[in-house]
Amino acid sequence: ITSCHFSADDRLLAVGTQDGSIVVYDVMHSKDLEVISAHQNGPCRCVRMSHDGQQILSCGADAKVVLWDWRNHKPLRIYSGHFISVSCCDMALQGTRLVSGDSHGMMCVFDKETGKTEQTLPLAHQKGIISVSMSADGSTVASVGNDGKVSIWHVDLGSELMSLAAAIESAPLCCAFSPDDSKLAITESNGNITIWNVVAGCQWYMIPGAHKGPATFTAWSLNSRNLITSGVDSTIGLWDAESGAPLMKMQMKSGPLTNCTISPSSTYIASGSTTGTLSVSNIPALQKLMPEPSFLYHWMDTHENKQMVPLFTRLLQQHPYLYNIQDAQGWSLVSHAVAKGNSDVAEIILEVVPDKASMGLISAIPNTQQYHIQLDRMDEDSDDEDDYGLGKGGMPDMAQRIMSVSPNVGGTMVSMSNQATKSFVAKAPRGRSFIGTSMTKPRNSGNSIVRPQKSAGSKFLRPIGDIDDSSEDVETSQLPTRVKSFSAQVKKMAVKVLAEKRPLDNIEQMMNNALAMALNSKSSKCV
C-alpha cells in the first residue's frame, strides 16, 4: 500500500496500491466498495480524497495526475505537465488548487476545476520530489526531495520562501502542513520528527527518536491538535501537537509502515504497510481501555502515597503515556493535579514518571505572540472596501504570513511585558473600531482591569500595535481588593486560567509555559 486518505465524513478511505489500483474502503462496514484500475505500468503513488467524498485525486508511475469520479470509475480530468513518474500530490483545503511532484524534481500547480497549469517549477529539487503538502489556502507549497532539501514555495511568484535544510538532522522523508497553516511537520530517516513554526520562521520543537528507524509518514488531525506518524518499526505514534508529548503508540503486526492518515474527527487512524496490509484503529475504543484522567486523579487522591506509588507504576507499565491522556475537556492527570493544587498527587506523578518523559503541556512558546484583533464595521456603507493589505476576505494568506517571518503581519508588533493584561477599544478609520488585547504596563495603579466591549458582526482578525489606553472608549472597573504586588496578580491570573476562565489565549499560553517549566524541573516543590 502506497497511500491512504480519509473522506471528510470519516466513512470512506481511499487507498493507493503497488499494482496501480485505487481501492475505496468502507470504514463503517469494513469492506471494499470500489476498485479502480487507475494507473498503468506501475504503482499508484499517492491518493487524496476530495472534501465532499465524490472525487479522488491520484498520481502514478505513468506520469499522470488524474481526478476520478470513483463511483463511475471515470476520470473527470487529467492534468498534463509531467513526463516521468509522479511521486506525490496534494489538494488545498480551501479553493481549487492542487500540486504534484515528479521524480525529476519538477513541481506543478494546477487548477482543479479547469485543469489549467497555474505554476511550474522545473528545478524545484535537484533530485526527485518524494513529498508535497499544500497550505489550506493554496498560496504556499512545502516539498521534500531526494536531495535532502525541504523547501516552502510561494505559488503565485514561483519562488522559494524558505529552506529548512539547517533545521533537520538527517534525510527528510515526508512533510505536512497543519490544517490551520501554523506548523509544518517533517519526518526524518533517523526517526526524528521536526515541527516548524511556519509564521515565525523557526523550529517549534523536535521529537527525537519518535521511531526506531526511518519515520515514513505524518498527518494532522483536522483541528490541528494531534499529529500521527508511522515508521518502518511498524508503530504509529499519536502526539500532542502543541507540546510534542506522546499520547499513544500502537504496534502494528503488518510489517514496515509506508503511510498513515487520521480521520477528520480524530476517530480513526489508518496505515498501510509494505506487505499490502491496511490497518484501521478506532482511537476512542482504545482510550476506553485506559483510566479516565479525572477518575484516575480522584482515585490517587484517596490513597496514601506509599500505597499509590507501586499501583501507579503498574498502570504506567500497561499504559506508558497515561499521564498525557486527555479527557473530553482536554485535561490530563497532571492538569487535574495542578488545578486542584494537590501536591501529594503531583509528587506521586513526579516520582513514578521517568525523568526523560515529556509531559503534555506547552513547553515551546515563541518570544513573540500573535494577537488576534477583531475588526468591527460600524458603518453601513461598504462601497469602498479596503483589506488593509491583507489577502482575500480580509485574511492574510499563508504566503504573506511566511514572507513577513513574524506574527505581526499588517501592523506593529505588540510589546511584551510581564505586567497586568489590559484590553482596549481603539479608534479606526471609516467608523471602524479595533477590539482586542495588549500586554502593556499599566500607567496608574496595578488594580484596574480594562474590559473589552462586545462586538457584533466581526469581519476579520488583524494584529495591531500598542494603542493609547487613554482613549475615551475604554471602560475601567476596579477589582474588589487592591492588588499590591505582581506576585498576587500572577496568582489571580493562575486561578482564572486553571478554573477554565480563559478570556485571552496568550495568558493561557504563558501559564502553560510556566507550568511546563516547573514540571520539567522534576521538582515537586517548584510545582
Side-chain angles (χ1 to χ4, degrees):
I1 294 177
T2 57
S3 179
C4 56
H5 193 246
F6 275 103
S7 62
D9 60 2
D10 289 12
R11 297 176 61 88
L12 302 176
L13 184 66
V15 181
T17 65
Q18 192 70 21
D19 62 2
S21 299
I22 297 175
V23 179
V24 180
Y25 182 76
D26 187 338
V27 177
M28 306 298 291
H29 300 93
S30 302
K31 65 178 184 180
D32 295 344
L33 289 183
E34 303 288 346
V35 179
I36 306 169
S37 298
H39 297 274
Q40 308 298 324
N41 304 322
C44 172
R45 299 286 188 188
C46 186
V47 292
R48 290 290 182 269
M49 185 164 274
S50 63
H51 316 305
D52 58 7
Q54 301 299 313
Q55 303 161 349
I56 294 177
L57 179 70
S58 71
C59 62
D62 56 0
K64 290 182 180 179
V65 181
V66 187
L67 186 68
W68 296 90
D69 176 2
W70 62 269
R71 296 182 188 276
N72 298 316
H73 292 217
K74 291 182 179 179
L76 295 174
R77 198 160 286 105
I78 299 176
Y79 305 95
S80 59
H82 296 282
F83 305 99
I84 199 169
S85 174
V86 184
S87 52
C88 49
C89 61
D90 194 21
M91 284 192 290
L93 285 173
Q94 306 161 8
T96 60
R97 281 178 171 172
L98 58 91
V99 63
S100 58
D102 65 27
S103 56
H104 272 181
M106 183 169 75
M107 188 163 60
C108 297
V109 178
F110 303 98
D111 185 285
K112 188 180 81 169
E113 302 301 330
T114 65
K116 178 184 175 182
T117 303
E118 294 195 357
Q119 189 62 257
T120 300
L121 300 173
L123 296 174
H125 291 268
Q126 295 179 359
K127 296 182 179 180
I129 298 174
I130 55 178
S131 178
V132 290
S133 179
M134 181 166 270
S135 63
D137 59 9
S139 65
T140 57
V141 172
S143 63
V144 173
N146 275 325
D147 54 2
K149 183 180 173 185
V150 181
S151 298
I152 300 178
W153 304 87
H154 191 297
V155 172
D156 293 325
L157 298 179
S159 60
E160 186 181 43
L161 292 174
M162 200 175 293
S163 177
L164 312 184
I168 53 179
E169 296 182 351
S170 61
L173 299 178
C174 177
C175 66
F177 273 115
S178 61
D180 63 4
D181 285 347
S182 64
K183 303 178 187 73
L184 178 71
I186 305 162
T187 66
E188 301 182 36
S189 58
N190 62 358
N192 291 352
I193 309 295
T194 298
I195 308 299
W196 185 262
N197 186 318
V198 178
V199 179
C202 65
Q203 180 178 293
W204 185 255
Y205 59 83
M206 177 182 284
I207 308 174
H211 293 273
K212 296 178 181 177
T216 54
F217 207 83
T218 184
W220 294 84
S221 62
L222 188 62
N223 59 12
S224 300
R225 286 183 59 184
N226 295 326
L227 176 75
I228 65 166
T229 58
S230 61
V232 296
D233 56 356
S234 302
T235 62
I236 288 182
L238 178 64
W239 313 87
D240 178 66
E242 287 298 328
S243 64
L247 300 178
M248 193 182 299
K249 273 200 175 182
M250 293 168 281
Q251 184 71 41
M252 301 297 168
K253 299 180 180 179
S254 55
L257 301 180
T258 57
N259 57 87
C260 62
T261 184
I262 184 169
S263 65
S265 67
S266 300
T267 302
Y268 299 102
I269 289 178
S271 63
S273 71
T274 56
T275 61
T277 305
L278 177 68
S279 304
V280 180
S281 304
N282 188 315
I283 301 176
L286 292 172
Q287 289 178 337
K288 284 182 181 179
L289 303 175
M290 304 178 187
E292 201 268 341
S294 60
F295 169 80
L296 182 60
Y297 166 76
H298 290 294
W299 179 61
M300 294 174 67
D301 187 35
T302 56
H303 291 71
E304 299 208 354
N305 288 22
K306 291 182 180 179
Q307 230 179 338
M308 276 310 308
V309 168
L311 291 174
F312 190 57
T313 302
R314 258 185 261 164
L315 270 176
L316 278 187
Q317 290 173 352
Q318 296 177 17
H319 310 290
Y321 308 110
L322 184 60
Y323 49 88
N324 281 335
I325 298 300
Q326 300 170 354
D327 58 20
Q329 293 180 335
W331 282 54
S332 65
L333 173 63
V334 176
S335 302
H336 283 286
V338 175
K340 295 172 177 63
N342 194 321
S343 59
D344 292 335
V345 175
E347 190 176 346
I348 295 170
I349 297 171
L350 293 170
E351 184 174 343
V352 176
V353 173
D355 290 339
K356 294 183 179 179
S358 176
M359 296 190 182
L361 292 165
I362 300 172
S363 58
I365 301 298
N367 293 328
T368 56
Q369 299 282 350
Q370 172 90 27
Y371 286 79
H372 297 289
I373 309 302
Q374 292 182 341
L375 179 63
D376 182 41
R377 184 185 296 280
M378 307 297 289
D379 57 345
E380 298 296 330
D381 188 337
S382 59
D383 293 336
D384 51 345
E385 291 290 334
D386 186 0
D387 286 341
Y388 291 87
L390 303 179
K392 294 180 180 179
M395 283 294 292
D397 64 27
M398 197 60 213
Q400 289 175 327
R401 291 164 62 192
I402 298 175
M403 288 174 71
S404 68
V405 197
S406 172
N408 62 322
V409 181
T412 308
M413 185 178 297
V414 180
S415 62
M416 292 295 294
S417 170
N418 60 357
Q419 303 296 324
T421 303
K422 301 196 301 177
S423 302
F424 59 84
V425 179
K427 296 286 189 180
R430 297 197 189 98
R432 303 175 182 180
S433 66
F434 291 109
I435 303 176
T437 61
S438 174
M439 296 293 290
T440 57
K441 185 176 181 179
R443 294 188 176 184
N444 303 317
S445 60
N447 63 342
S448 63
I449 290 182
V450 186
R451 303 186 185 279
Q453 298 178 1
K454 293 182 180 179
S455 63
S458 59
K459 295 295 180 182
F460 56 83
L461 303 176
R462 183 185 181 192
I464 194 171
D466 290 333
I467 301 297
D468 187 353
D469 57 13
S470 61
S471 170
E472 295 178 358
D473 293 333
V474 177
E475 297 179 359
T476 64
S477 62
Q478 301 298 319
L479 288 174
T481 58
R482 183 176 179 81
V483 180
K484 296 183 179 180
S485 67
F486 171 69
S487 176
Q489 292 182 45
V490 171
K491 288 178 183 177
K492 285 182 177 292
M493 191 186 300
V495 170
K496 288 181 180 179
V497 169
L498 295 174
E500 285 290 276
K501 297 177 181 178
R502 306 177 175 183
L504 304 175
D505 289 341
N506 57 329
I507 293 183
E508 178 183 359
Q509 288 181 333
M510 290 169 63
M511 291 304 304
N512 280 344
N513 195 24
L515 196 58
M517 287 191 290
L519 288 165
N520 289 337
S521 70
K522 298 295 187 295
S523 166
S524 57
K525 183 179 179 181
C526 185
V527 173

